[in-house]
Structure formats: C-alpha cells, structure tokens
Amino acid sequence: MQIKFMQRAIELAAQAAAEDEVPIGAVIVNPESGEIIAEAYNQSQHISDASAHAEIEAIRKACAKLGQNRLWDMDLYVTLEPCTMCAGAISLARIKNLYFGAADAKGGAVISGVKFFEAPTCHHRPQVSGGILEEECAALLKNFFRQKRNKKDL
C-alpha cells in the first residue's frame, strides 16, 4: 500500500469540496506498475446523479480506459469507507484491494452497517485495509459539513 495514492485521493476530495461536492476522492491504481489508471471525486450535485460517487466514477473511467468491465488486480484508494452501492460496484468490478481512509458509521458498508463483503451473496471480496490517513480524510468531511451548517445559521 502506498500513502501517495491516498494523498492523491485526498487532493481530489479537496477539489470536490471546492466545488461544493461532498469531499470524497478515489484513485484506481495498477499496483504492479504503480500507474494511476483512473481518478475521480464525488459529482452527485453537479451532474444531478445520485450514483456519481467517487468510487463509481473512478470505476467507470478505469473500465473505459482499459476497455473491460473487470478491474482484476487493481487497487482502489478512497477517502471514505464505501457505501453499499459503491461496495457492490467494487465487488462487481473485481477490485483486488480496497484501501480507505475514514470509517463511515452512518453510511459505510464495509466495516460498518451491512458489511457488504461479508454477505454470502457477495461473489467477490477485495482485501480491505481501512484507517489510512484517517485523520486527514475525516477532517475534510468534518470541515465541509461544519461550513455547511454555519452557512445555514447565517
């Protein structure tokens, strides 16, 4: 696992925040070459698409770039524990390793909530490592939502 890829995901999350999107960034990497295959951040608000989460967008871009619907042997770095929708997409794309920053007790589905990869109906389970640069990832989200609440109070 390389910290630089999570740092890049954090940069993407900061870009999302600057565009008033929930600050979550994702990077898909070929671990053998160290090449970033695709990267994305949340786009749900700007393109009016509830499925435009960072992970989904990165998976779409990686599949298009590679011309395939499976991302065998690829690693995904994401700043927040994936939700159920994203965990499903990660499984269907056959991501090999999932690395995430902050846990998400309310909406996460990997180590929280439904624990999607533990379900008997889950056909592919990536190796999962959480808590990578957790404080930085969590701070982006906390600051974003704090600012949102403060704007409402004005």
Side-chain angles (χ1 to χ4, degrees):
M1 191 258 327
Q2 296 188 6
I3 296 298
K4 72 178 183 178
F5 298 124
M6 187 61 77
Q7 289 170 329
R8 178 61 185 146
I10 290 169
E11 291 171 2
L12 292 163
Q15 186 176 346
E19 296 178 18
D20 204 30
E21 289 279 355
V22 175
I24 301 170
V27 178
I28 295 179
V29 176
N30 178 332
E32 288 196 20
S33 67
E35 176 190 4
I36 293 177
I37 303 300
E39 55 184 34
Y41 53 86
N42 274 14
Q43 299 271 322
S44 297
Q45 297 297 319
H46 283 79
I47 65 171
S48 300
D49 181 349
S51 70
H53 289 195
E55 302 94 309
I56 301 289
E57 293 298 300
I59 289 169
R60 287 176 178 152
K61 288 178 180 181
C63 288
K65 180 176 182 174
L66 298 174
Q68 58 194 43
N69 68 339
R70 299 286 190 252
L71 300 173
W72 298 105
D73 300 321
M74 299 293 151
D75 293 347
L76 171 62
Y77 293 80
V78 62
T79 55
L80 185 66
E81 175 185 357
C83 68
T84 306
M85 174 182 68
C86 293
I90 290 164
S91 177
L92 291 171
R94 305 302 196 258
I95 297 285
K96 183 176 182 178
N97 296 296
L98 167 63
Y99 301 101
F100 69 87
D104 184 0
K106 290 183 182 178
V110 177
I111 62 169
S112 307
V114 299
K115 298 180 181 172
F116 182 85
F117 300 129
E118 294 179 19
T121 55
C122 179
H123 299 294
H124 172 78
R125 295 166 181 83
Q127 292 294 313
V128 176
S129 298
I132 298 138
L133 299 179
E134 181 174 15
E135 289 180 20
E136 295 91 329
C137 294
L140 274 169
L141 288 155
K142 288 176 186 174
N143 292 336
F144 177 81
F145 287 112
R146 183 179 301 120
Q147 289 175 354
K148 287 282 195 194
R149 286 189 300 276
N150 289 341
K151 284 182 183 177
K152 286 183 182 179
D153 292 341
L154 295 178

